[in-house]
Amino acid sequence: MLTLNFDPFPSLASQRFILRAPALYDDEAFVILRSDPLVNQYLNRAATTTVAAARQFIEMIQANIATNKSLYWVITTKESDVPIGTICYWNIEPELDQAEIGYELQSAFFGKGIMREILPVVIQFGFEQMHLQKITAFPFHKNERSVKLLELNHFIKDDPLREKLEKEEDLSGQLCYSLSKPV
């Protein structure tokens, strides 16, 4: 069973990007990210259209990090501290040693290889530092870029997990992928 402690916050880096904790001063960037129709088209959520709503979301994320319920990074370039996206582990199930990964980028940064560079860093952290045994992902079936990204990182369709989860929730339009820790 996982024993999680995200204090101090585990900042990460890739060749071009920094993954850091979300801060309240990120509120305007979160409005841009979470209100973009191109970003939201494959996510089942209402758009965040006000700074107050963005701050409330950031405070919720900070509380979840503080209580080890999720781990949520803001993606910035090494040249600028302004968020261009996020990546997270959430729906963490300590008793199963698994977590769901999720990610999003501002649409202006689509197709630039950003997630291709960042996802392996976060996967490695999940397996080596969090001691996850399995990472799940639930991309929308029409989100071809996300599906391709997962498959490039060795995620495979997980029909048994999908069947199990469909009994509990509506997965309409979503695919179920998973990646097990290498032996």
Side-chain angles (χ1 to χ4, degrees), residues 1-7 67-69 71 92-98 125-126 128-133:
M1 185 160 136
L2 297 176
T3 303
L4 302 172
N5 183 1
F6 304 138
D7 183 25
T67 56
N68 304 308
K69 291 181 181 173
L71 188 51
I92 298 173
E93 298 180 74
E95 65 284 354
L96 298 176
D97 298 332
Q98 74 181 34
F125 178 86
E128 294 179 6
Q129 304 303 314
M130 292 174 65
H131 305 290
L132 296 171
Q133 296 301 308

Side-chain angles (χ1 to χ4, degrees), residues 9 14 24-25 27-28 56 66 71 73 75 89 105 137 152 159 161:
F9 184 86
S14 69
L24 289 177
Y25 62 79
D27 53 6
E28 291 181 13
Q56 187 175 25
L71 188 51
W73 290 274
I75 303 165
Y89 282 120
L105 277 178
L152 283 170
D159 292 327
L161 178 61

Side-chain angles (χ1 to χ4, degrees):
M1 185 160 136
L2 297 176
T3 303
L4 302 172
N5 183 1
F6 304 138
D7 183 25
F9 184 86
S11 296
L12 303 174
S14 69
Q15 184 176 346
R16 299 178 293 161
F17 303 99
I18 301 289
L19 283 69
R20 63 162 174 81
L24 289 177
Y25 62 79
D26 295 324
D27 53 6
E28 291 181 13
F30 270 71
V31 171
I32 293 167
L33 177 66
R34 295 177 61 84
S35 67
D36 186 329
L38 291 174
V39 175
N40 288 337
Q41 71 179 329
Y42 300 127
L43 300 173
N44 187 19
R45 69 172 183 214
T48 301
T49 58
T50 67
V51 169
R55 283 183 154 254
Q56 187 175 25
F57 177 75
I58 293 167
E59 288 170 347
M60 179 192 72
I61 292 300
Q62 289 172 330
N64 286 342
I65 294 168
T67 56
N68 304 308
K69 291 181 181 173
S70 66
L71 188 51
Y72 195 99
W73 290 274
V74 169
I75 303 165
T76 67
T77 66
K78 288 190 173 178
E79 293 77 33
S80 170
D81 193 45
V82 177
I84 61 170
T86 67
I87 189 164
C88 67
Y89 282 120
W90 65 304
N91 289 331
I92 298 173
E93 298 180 74
E95 65 284 354
L96 298 176
D97 298 332
Q98 74 181 34
E100 180 179 343
I101 197 164
Y103 42 83
E104 60 191 344
L105 277 178
Q106 289 181 11
S107 59
F109 295 92
F110 286 1
K112 298 184 186 295
I114 295 169
M115 284 300 174
R116 201 171 345 163
E117 182 176 327
I118 290 172
L119 189 60
V121 172
V122 175
I123 290 169
Q124 181 178 6
F125 178 86
F127 287 143
E128 294 179 6
Q129 304 303 314
M130 292 174 65
H131 305 290
L132 296 171
Q133 296 301 308
K134 186 176 193 177
I135 301 169
T136 60
F138 300 90
F140 189 66
H141 74 280
K142 292 183 180 178
N143 191 345
E144 294 172 7
R145 283 185 171 157
S146 186
V147 169
K148 183 178 179 183
L149 174 69
L150 292 168
E151 291 174 350
L152 283 170
N153 283 278
H154 311 291
F155 280 76
I156 58 170
K157 280 191 178 177
D158 192 332
D159 292 327
L161 178 61
R162 181 181 176 81
E163 289 172 19
K164 175 186 166 199
L165 294 176
E166 278 183 326
K167 294 175 185 172
E168 303 166 13
E169 57 190 282
D170 179 17
L171 296 177
S172 299
Q174 289 180 287
L175 300 172
C176 181
Y177 278 81
S178 67
L179 177 65
S180 294
K181 184 176 184 174
V183 180

